[in-house]
Structure formats: structure tokens, C-alpha cells
Amino acid sequence: MDSSASSQDAGRPVVARDRDGAGRARNARPRDGLGRPLPYGAQGVARQPEGVVRTPERTVAEAQELLDAGKPFHAHEVFEDAWKSGPEEERALWRGLAQIAVGLTHSARGNVTGGARLLRRGAGAVDAWAAEAGRRRVHGMDLAGVAGWARKLAAEVEAEGRPVDAAARAPRLRGRTP
């Protein structure tokens, strides 16, 4: 069967692969607020555009808005853009923040082990970057506070063993976290 045919295969349409201008696969499948795939044809949450170059201050502000809205998966995509487009000396910081956002995503989805692991890995990366750079605050972010929040949430997720409310548990990137 031709891969561009419009027939059904196991309940989903068989269509030509969705690729970006560079030939990388894109997933056009709708997703919920935590980034989980929904059935084809379902109404999903708008995805974050990829490859957006933002100032660090705009990155922090957009990520915080998404975290507050209970969309840590989307916040991770904002951090990922900064990690990929920002200055080399800050890439480890943005990658660590993306890992923390993904850890919150998994914790909200009920993936206790993966969520706690990613929260701790991200906290470690943020702490390591801050120590190496000799900075506890950058772009208005309280790095020690964010890393501490992530470790505390990881311990709570493991102890409770159930999904967390991503919006209620969102970190405060620029100030004290709950």
C-alpha cells in the first residue's frame, strides 16, 4: 500500500510522514496539556512552536506562565529552545531546567520513578551549572531555590506514589517555590 494513501491502519490514518523543512519528523498527533498523545482527530492543546529564539528573560517568563497553567511539557519545550539556541556557556543550565520541567510532567502523569529521577537529574544539572559559573541567580532565577524545590518534589512523589497537580506544584523560577 502506498504510504500516502488515505486509508485507515489500526484506527489511524495512513498518510505521508509529517516532516519539517530539514526533513526531521514532526508529530502532528494532538496532545493533552501534559504532552500525552490523544487519538487522531481529538481536540488537543496547542503545541509550543519549536525553534523559537527568545531572550533569556522571555524564556523564563514564558516557561513560568506555562508552568503556572499546568503545562510543564510545554515549558520544557521553551527551555529546550533556549538550550539549543542560547550561548554555549548556558546550555547546561537550560538543559537542566528542561529536565526539571519534564520531571514535573512525568510526576503529573503518575510516572513516580521517571518523574523523581528527572527532577533530581535536573536539580543536579542546575546546581552544577551554578557552581561552575559561580552564580546562584541568573536571568532573575533563584537557581538554588528551583533545585531545592525539584529535590523536595521528587521525595514527595516517591513517598506518595500518585500523580501531582502540575499547576498547584509549579516552581517559582524567580522567587521562593512552594
Side-chain angles (χ1 to χ4, degrees):
M1 175 183 286
D2 179 5
S3 66
S4 64
S6 62
S7 64
Q8 297 286 325
D9 180 16
R12 74 176 200 201
V14 177
V15 295
R17 299 224 30 196
D18 185 22
R19 302 276 180 180
D20 68 13
R24 291 184 300 263
R26 289 188 295 198
N27 189 345
R29 193 168 171 184
R31 301 210 173 237
D32 72 6
L34 292 173
R36 292 176 290 219
L38 296 171
Y40 287 95
Q43 182 66 31
V45 172
R47 300 195 57 177
Q48 287 301 114
E50 293 182 35
V52 176
V53 178
R54 301 169 182 85
T55 65
E57 290 73 20
R58 189 70 214 143
T59 294
V60 174
E62 283 187 33
Q64 187 68 68
E65 289 171 13
L66 292 163
L67 290 164
D68 291 345
K71 298 178 181 177
F73 177 81
H74 296 75
H76 120 270
E77 291 179 329
V78 170
F79 287 135
E80 189 172 274
D81 283 341
W83 143 31
K84 291 179 177 179
S85 68
E88 181 66 35
E89 63 271 9
E90 290 187 1
R91 289 191 177 162
L93 168 65
W94 298 115
R95 185 172 47 246
L97 292 167
Q99 288 171 333
I100 288 172
V102 172
L104 178 55
T105 300
H106 282 279
S107 297
R109 290 176 178 175
N111 178 354
V112 172
T113 302
R117 184 177 294 136
L118 282 161
L119 286 164
R120 287 191 182 103
R121 184 181 306 153
V126 167
D127 280 341
W129 184 89
E132 184 175 317
R135 299 173 72 184
R136 294 180 58 86
R137 292 190 72 85
V138 65
H139 307 303
M141 290 184 288
D142 173 9
L143 301 181
V146 171
W149 166 88
R151 286 188 178 93
K152 179 180 176 192
L153 182 60
E156 291 174 15
V157 165
E158 287 176 328
E160 296 173 12
R162 58 180 152 60
V164 300
D165 179 330
R169 299 308 304 270
R172 306 301 320 149
L173 299 173
R174 292 190 162 136
R176 294 280 177 225
T177 57

